[in-house]
Amino acid sequence: MSYELYYWPTIQGRGEFVRLALEEAGADYIDVARESEGLAVMIRMMDHVERPPFAPPFLKDGETIIGQTAAILLYLGARHDLAPKDPAGGLWTHQIQLTIADIVAEAHDTHHPVAISLYYEDQKAEALRRAKEFRDNRIPKFLDWFETILARNPTGDGHLVGRTLTYVDLSLFQLVEGLTYAFPKATKRALKDTPRVASLHAAVAKRPRIKTYLASPRRISFNEEGIFRRYPELDR
Ligand SMILES: N[C@@H](CCC(=O)N[C@@H](CS)C(=O)NCC(=O)O)C(=O)O
């Protein structure tokens, strides 16, 4: 049976972390909201299921519905050999994913620092201040942390955890993709100081299934509705 992924149909957003894991695993999945009438199906699901996810993305596997990106990846990682099998390794991988979720939320808040319900143009002054802090301090701090993890896993062949690819390698790839789109100048500067992160990003892009996926119509382009938005005034 195919997995059903439920996510907003026009953006990469948080759904992309799940898509990358499904694509690397070669798993059968339906991106439900991108099918005809799929968005209505997604909303109905959230309105009616016994255990409703708070927000997309969520994944349906038979009768099981899982919300929260990090929880979905925990689930898929165990089923598709994209995470260590030992509990400590699994927890460490989950911890890294949760930290990626933290920076993703901060990236979102650079263009919506006051409220999601307001237009960017209505919170631009705050966004300019928030983005400066994000560029100057937060991007370097997070990328340094990933660099440290890679350096402390010297036999890991460039992987964050263990010796083979895990879902957090895919997620770090996607984070770098998003930061590079939204903050090209600041990210280029930060990546100069984090060469292992830059290498991991390049290596993931070359993986056969990921390469095929990135070139396919299944990969939605970045745009100014998603989490990573390019507003040139927010990048210096
Ligand atoms: N912590 C959740 C956040 C989910 C989330 O914020 N989803 C966004 C789209 S990326 C959404 O639809 N939010 C609606 C809302 O917060 O009201 C996760 O990592 O999956």
Side-chain angles (χ1 to χ4, degrees), residues 102-119:
D102 289 343
I103 181 172
V104 168
E106 291 193 23
H108 170 272
D109 289 353
T110 58
H111 50 79
H112 277 74
V114 179
I116 300 179
S117 55
L118 295 176
Y119 290 113

Side-chain angles (χ1 to χ4, degrees), residues 7-8 14 54-57 68-69 116 227:
Y7 193 65
W8 304 112
R14 290 179 173 89
F54 175 74
Q68 292 285 355
T69 310
I116 300 179
I227 293 175

Side-chain angles (χ1 to χ4, degrees), residues 38-49:
L39 194 53
V41 174
M42 178 170 98
I43 306 292
R44 255 201 318 276
M45 289 265 295
M46 294 176 68
D47 284 347
H48 294 294
V49 295

Side-chain angles (χ1 to χ4, degrees), residues 2-234:
S2 298
Y3 290 112
E4 292 175 15
L5 169 65
Y6 293 82
Y7 193 65
W8 304 112
T10 57
I11 60 170
Q12 291 185 18
R14 290 179 173 89
E16 198 63 13
F17 296 95
V18 182
R19 291 193 189 103
L20 285 168
L22 290 166
E23 293 283 345
E24 174 62 31
D28 273 342
Y29 72 100
I30 304 166
D31 208 335
V32 177
R34 292 173 75 185
E35 308 266 301
S36 140
E37 307 298 324
L39 194 53
V41 174
M42 178 170 98
I43 306 292
R44 255 201 318 276
M45 289 265 295
M46 294 176 68
D47 284 347
H48 294 294
V49 295
E50 189 184 336
R51 296 178 175 177
F54 175 74
F58 54 97
L59 186 80
K60 186 166 182 293
D61 180 18
E63 294 303 304
T64 306
I65 296 174
I66 312 132
Q68 292 285 355
T69 310
I72 299 168
L73 292 171
L74 187 70
Y75 183 83
L76 290 175
R79 275 155 190 78
H80 294 281
D81 222 9
L82 286 173
K85 302 238 177 294
D86 64 293
L91 200 54
W92 171 229
T93 312
H94 186 48
Q95 182 186 328
I96 296 171
Q97 185 63 42
L98 288 169
T99 308
I100 291 174
D102 289 343
I103 181 172
V104 168
E106 291 193 23
H108 170 272
D109 289 353
T110 58
H111 50 79
H112 277 74
V114 179
I116 300 179
S117 55
L118 295 176
Y119 290 113
Y120 165 63
E121 288 70 21
D122 296 330
Q123 45 194 318
K124 206 164 161 180
E126 293 88 349
L128 287 166
R129 292 184 67 195
R130 184 71 185 250
K132 181 175 180 353
E133 167 66 15
F134 187 67
R135 283 190 320 261
D136 293 353
N137 296 320
R138 303 302 284 172
I139 294 179
K141 182 169 181 176
F142 276 100
L143 293 194
D144 279 352
W145 186 72
F146 298 121
E147 183 74 10
T148 300
I149 295 171
L150 288 164
R152 289 184 193 171
N153 186 22
T155 57
D157 197 22
H159 298 298
L160 283 162
V161 181
R163 294 179 180 194
T164 55
L165 183 99
T166 64
Y167 63 81
V168 285
D169 292 328
L170 300 171
S171 294
L172 184 54
F173 161 80
Q174 177 62 13
L175 174 67
V176 171
E177 285 279 288
L179 291 175
T180 301
Y181 176 77
F183 303 98
K185 293 180 196 156
T187 304
K188 194 172 173 194
R189 279 197 301 275
L191 286 173
K192 273 203 189 111
D193 294 332
T194 52
R196 292 176 182 85
V197 173
S199 298
L200 171 60
H201 172 261
V204 169
K206 285 191 204 126
R207 293 185 71 83
R209 284 178 176 162
I210 298 299
K211 198 172 167 193
T212 301
Y213 168 64
L214 296 178
S216 78
R218 299 192 299 287
R219 172 79 163 182
I220 300 165
S221 298
F222 284 109
N223 58 52
E224 279 55 66
E225 292 167 24
I227 293 175
F228 296 105
R229 303 186 188 190
R230 181 171 291 173
Y231 294 126
E233 62 275 20
L234 299 188

